Amino acid sequence: MSAKRWIREIGWRHIVLIIAAFFALYPVVWVLSAAFNPVDNLSAARLIPRGFTFDNFTELFESDLTPFGTWLFNSWRVAIVAASLNVILAALASFAFSRLRFRGRRAGLLSLLLIQVFPQFLGFIALFLLAQQIGDIFPAAGLNTQTYIIMVYLGGAIGFNAFLIKGFMDTIPVELDESAEVDGANPWQIFSRIIFPLSRPVLAVIFIITFINIYSEYILARTLLRSTQEFTMAVGLQLFVESNYSAKWGNLAAAAIIGAAPIVLTFLVAQKQIIGGLTQGSVKG
């Protein structure tokens, strides 16, 4: 194959790939450089720093004004609890829409789709006022509590996730349900022993996507969480640029690297389940 023909048929793909990779990796390299750079100044920062230090990482866990370890734990706890409950509730709703026949089923499904058209953060004023009213009666689930922010996250994603899981459950043969009914199984036993285990690929994908979205969510958490000890990581990081730490770009970069680690590890560990869950059901045979 001649050089011109190779460039025309194959080479241009490599060029596009290199440009896309450079565009995606350039900010990441800058963050890595800033995290290990002893110079805490954006104007004096260089892509390849003249020095190398771990002080930006150690300082994150030594300051009482910016309890980064607490923020990291809060993010992990809120995301893991909300994502787990979200998957369970969405699976139950999906089973009802997929297998059970009841009045209002179609209208309920269409309502879920219609509600998901509007972003959840549009209701942050109503959610704020609701949190205040709940806090007057039950302070443990009111404003500035992680219990309330978990409930808000549950309400925002269940509809969309239920619709996705329902599509997967529709591909599971109904004959399995009928065989179980002949053996005396009730709807709960069919769901828990047959449908739920067979839906593990899509449930794993839903859990991972929900976990990542909640882990990095900012707008609602910033509105509903008020104290430093209750902040999640996405909210807490802004203190590095708003308070007296406005010049601590090295700390901010180091915190971003540590905060991104759980997401990267999740993808590395569960990438087979993610790909399998996204592609399973796309081909009928």
Side-chain angles (χ1 to χ4, degrees), residues 5-19:
R5 183 180 176 185
W6 183 86
I7 293 175
R8 186 174 63 252
E9 295 183 359
I10 301 176
W12 67 272
R13 302 175 186 176
H14 294 266
I15 296 174
V16 172
L17 179 62
I18 292 172
I19 294 175

Side-chain angles (χ1 to χ4, degrees), residues 47-227:
L47 184 60
I48 302 177
R50 294 178 178 176
F52 186 87
T53 181
F54 284 102
D55 291 345
N56 292 325
F57 291 89
T58 57
E59 290 174 2
L60 290 176
F61 300 94
E62 295 175 350
S63 173
D64 295 330
L65 297 176
T66 54
F68 178 73
T70 302
W71 299 340
L72 196 62
F73 177 72
N74 290 343
S75 293
W76 180 84
R77 180 170 55 185
V78 169
I80 200 76
V81 172
S84 301
L85 293 177
N86 200 305
V87 168
I88 295 172
L89 295 177
L92 289 169
S94 304
F95 177 77
F97 284 119
S98 176
R99 288 299 198 267
L100 305 181
R101 297 293 180 265
F102 52 91
R103 180 176 299 177
R105 170 178 168 270
R106 181 176 176 79
L109 191 60
L110 293 177
S111 299
L112 284 179
L113 289 176
L114 181 61
I115 292 173
Q116 295 303 308
V117 173
F118 303 98
Q120 188 183 17
F121 65 83
L122 290 180
F124 71 93
I125 296 177
L127 293 172
F128 180 84
L129 297 176
L130 181 62
Q132 286 185 320
Q133 295 173 358
I134 293 177
D136 293 338
I137 302 173
F138 188 55
L143 189 64
N144 193 38
T145 63
Q146 294 178 12
T147 302
Y148 183 72
I149 196 73
I150 289 174
M151 291 191 295
V152 170
Y153 288 149
L154 285 179
I158 283 181
F160 182 72
N161 292 341
F163 187 77
L164 291 179
I165 298 173
K166 176 191 175 298
F168 186 91
M169 288 183 176
D170 287 342
T171 64
I172 299 175
V174 182
E175 288 76 9
L176 295 176
D177 303 29
E178 296 172 348
S179 298
E181 290 177 353
V182 171
D183 293 335
N186 57 38
W188 169 250
Q189 291 172 325
I190 294 174
F191 168 76
S192 60
R193 298 184 181 182
I194 299 176
I195 304 300
F196 192 83
L198 291 177
S199 303
R200 277 181 300 183
V202 70
L203 296 179
V205 174
I206 294 297
F207 175 82
I208 294 169
I209 293 176
T210 305
F211 176 85
I212 293 173
N213 289 336
I214 294 175
Y215 186 82
S216 58
E217 199 280 327
Y218 174 79
I219 297 178
L220 291 174
R222 183 67 186 91
T223 304
L224 301 175
L225 299 177
R226 318 299 293 177
S227 66

